[in-house]
Amino acid sequence: MRTDDLPVNRPRGRGAAANTAQRFSALQMTYDPGEEPEKVVTKFFQDHSSGIISRHNSPDLPFEASLNPYRGCEHGCAYCYARPTHEWLGFSAGLDFESRIMVKTEAPALLRAELAREKYVPERLSLSGVTDCYQPVEKRLEITRGCLAVLAECRHPVVMITKNYLITRDMDHLEELARHEATAVYISITTLDADLARKLEPRASSPQMRLEAIRNLAGQGIPVGVSVAPMIPGLNDSEIPAILEAAREAGAQFAGYTVVRLPFSVKEVFSSWLEEHFPGMKDKVLGRIEETQGRTLSHPEFGKRLKGVGVWSEQIAQIFKISLKRAGMLHRRPEVNAAAFRRPREVGGQMELW
């Protein structure tokens, strides 16, 4: 499906206008013009994965493994690099990604069993490494909270990243982890413009609520920083100084950033989003993204895809560096460690000393 084939008027509250072509299926569904649904109801499906910790060998990432309670994300961010992962499940990277969510209700139990294994060696976990672990349904299901309870019990190192204020619900577990230098939190803020945020990240917390999350976490002694990501050249990169200053005032201690990349069908979703909301800027923004990604929309090389290449990436890097220094913040988060790790309680309630 070409970008031009996607309808511009997306369903209410969604980042994608339609379902993009599925790379791994010969069966595709499209609507005639004007017949696209005005509302798409989110459906949830049980994920029966037998394991919960995913490991990787990417040199780009500052953690060894990740824990993902959900597949797909209802936040519906138009730029989300994780959208194509839904295609492996037989869904589309478009509307399906944000409205057909796989939930791992057994995640806390699977995590407990993994950490109890005699040969298990603690490693830095990212929660989550792909989709947001505090997307709206988490308020009801509490899967992430259950996983955090296990990690806090075991004092297992974990780095959190989210764009949802809901993380403040779990400050009890985060405080316990912080006491053992076993956690750090990134709150992702892409823009301070509430109107742009609603369009770009339709079901995520507002920028002000994310700043409030930083304020609350910092007030409880939990190491917290801001992820200024992704930076979209020509759209939100000019906000870097203001975002860092606002985050610092709220209590953020450290910060990081990435530049946007649009792998596979994400380019169709984001191009359609630009056509609807910023049609006069579409060519400029996509052109600058191409330049930062080595004349593509997603650089294939490690070390280049997250920070980008070329003049626009260098400009973003310099603005970030200067703004970080002015705000008096660190570029690196505190190291989390497993010095206090202990295995989970046994059925009888006994804790194994380690």
Side-chain angles (χ1 to χ4, degrees):
M1 180 186 294
R2 304 188 320 272
T3 299
D4 294 342
D5 293 330
L6 292 178
V8 172
N9 296 318
R10 67 203 63 239
R12 294 191 302 273
R14 298 297 181 181
N19 273 326
T20 56
Q22 219 278 45
R23 283 182 294 157
F24 307 113
S25 175
L27 180 64
Q28 309 290 338
M29 183 179 72
T30 60
Y31 293 96
D32 291 331
E35 294 187 358
E36 303 86 4
E38 293 184 0
K39 183 178 181 180
V40 175
V41 177
T42 304
K43 295 183 179 180
F44 301 95
F45 303 91
Q46 180 73 41
D47 187 313
H48 295 288
S49 297
S50 58
I52 192 60
I53 295 179
S54 300
R55 293 171 176 82
H56 68 86
N57 58 2
S58 171
D60 283 340
L61 304 178
F63 54 87
E64 294 85 17
S66 63
L67 195 164
N68 298 282
Y70 303 97
R71 298 199 214 189
C73 185
E74 200 175 1
H75 281 160
C77 303
Y79 55 75
C80 184
Y81 67 88
R83 284 180 177 273
T85 63
H86 232 42
E87 294 177 338
W88 292 101
L89 304 175
F91 293 119
S92 165
L95 280 173
D96 282 352
F97 177 77
E98 53 195 275
S99 66
R100 301 294 181 264
I101 312 297
M102 305 294 292
V103 299
K104 303 178 183 180
T105 54
E106 297 301 314
L110 291 170
L111 179 61
R112 176 179 290 275
E114 177 70 10
L115 302 192
R117 287 195 307 110
E118 183 178 349
K119 294 184 179 181
Y120 178 79
V121 177
E123 53 196 333
R124 289 174 298 180
L125 281 178
S126 172
L127 183 59
S128 294
V130 182
T131 56
D132 202 311
C133 57
Y134 284 104
Q135 54 186 283
V137 74
E138 168 60 22
K139 185 175 183 179
R140 174 167 58 90
L141 298 184
E142 297 191 355
I143 301 174
T144 297
R145 178 167 176 78
C147 291
L148 265 180
V150 174
L151 294 171
E153 174 189 327
C154 299
R155 302 169 182 172
H156 191 291
V158 60
V159 176
M160 310 290 294
I161 183 164
T162 183
K163 51 173 62 80
N164 200 315
Y165 178 80
L166 184 58
I167 191 173
T168 60
R169 177 199 64 186
D170 297 338
M171 289 195 294
D172 53 345
H173 295 321
L174 292 170
E175 285 181 70
E176 173 63 20
L177 287 161
R179 276 195 286 272
H180 301 284
E181 299 181 348
T183 195
V185 175
Y186 282 97
I187 301 297
S188 176
I189 301 179
T190 312
T191 177
L192 295 177
D193 183 330
D195 183 58
L196 175 57
R198 278 192 299 271
K199 296 172 181 175
L200 192 60
E201 305 157 337
R203 300 198 179 194
S205 295
S206 69
Q208 284 305 122
M209 291 304 294
R210 297 183 217 184
L211 290 171
E212 190 63 24
I214 291 175
R215 186 171 290 108
N216 291 346
L217 292 164
Q220 296 302 312
I222 298 165
V224 59
V226 61
S227 175
V228 191
M231 285 294 100
I232 305 170
L235 184 64
N236 68 342
D237 50 335
S238 63
E239 290 195 62
I240 293 175
I243 293 173
L244 289 179
E245 183 61 27
R248 182 198 63 79
E249 290 180 358
Q253 304 157 359
F254 49 91
Y257 82 95
T258 62
V259 296
V260 73
R261 58 190 178 94
L262 307 174
F264 301 107
S265 50
V266 183
K267 63 176 67 71
E268 298 171 11
V269 174
F270 190 69
S271 179
S272 172
W273 181 89
L274 284 171
E275 183 65 37
E276 178 178 355
H277 296 292
F278 299 96
M281 298 172 59
K282 177 181 173 181
D283 291 341
K284 181 184 78 171
V285 172
L286 290 178
R288 291 189 180 183
I289 294 174
E290 283 187 354
E291 289 189 42
T292 64
Q293 295 295 328
R295 305 311 305 173
T296 69
L297 288 171
S298 182
H299 206 294
E301 295 182 31
F302 290 128
K304 296 180 179 179
R305 57 183 185 156
L306 298 186
K307 300 300 182 185
V309 296
V311 62
W312 298 113
S313 291
E314 292 172 5
Q315 178 175 292
I316 290 172
Q318 287 303 311
I319 293 174
F320 178 83
K321 180 179 179 180
I322 294 170
S323 301
L324 192 72
K325 184 175 181 179
R326 286 178 177 172
M329 297 168 67
L330 301 174
H331 195 176
R332 294 183 61 85
R333 59 167 170 76
E335 285 298 323
V336 297
N337 67 75
F341 175 75
R342 55 186 183 179
R343 300 196 186 281
R345 293 183 180 89
E346 298 175 352
V347 176
Q350 296 296 314
M351 179 76 76
E352 179 184 342
L353 297 177
W354 195 75

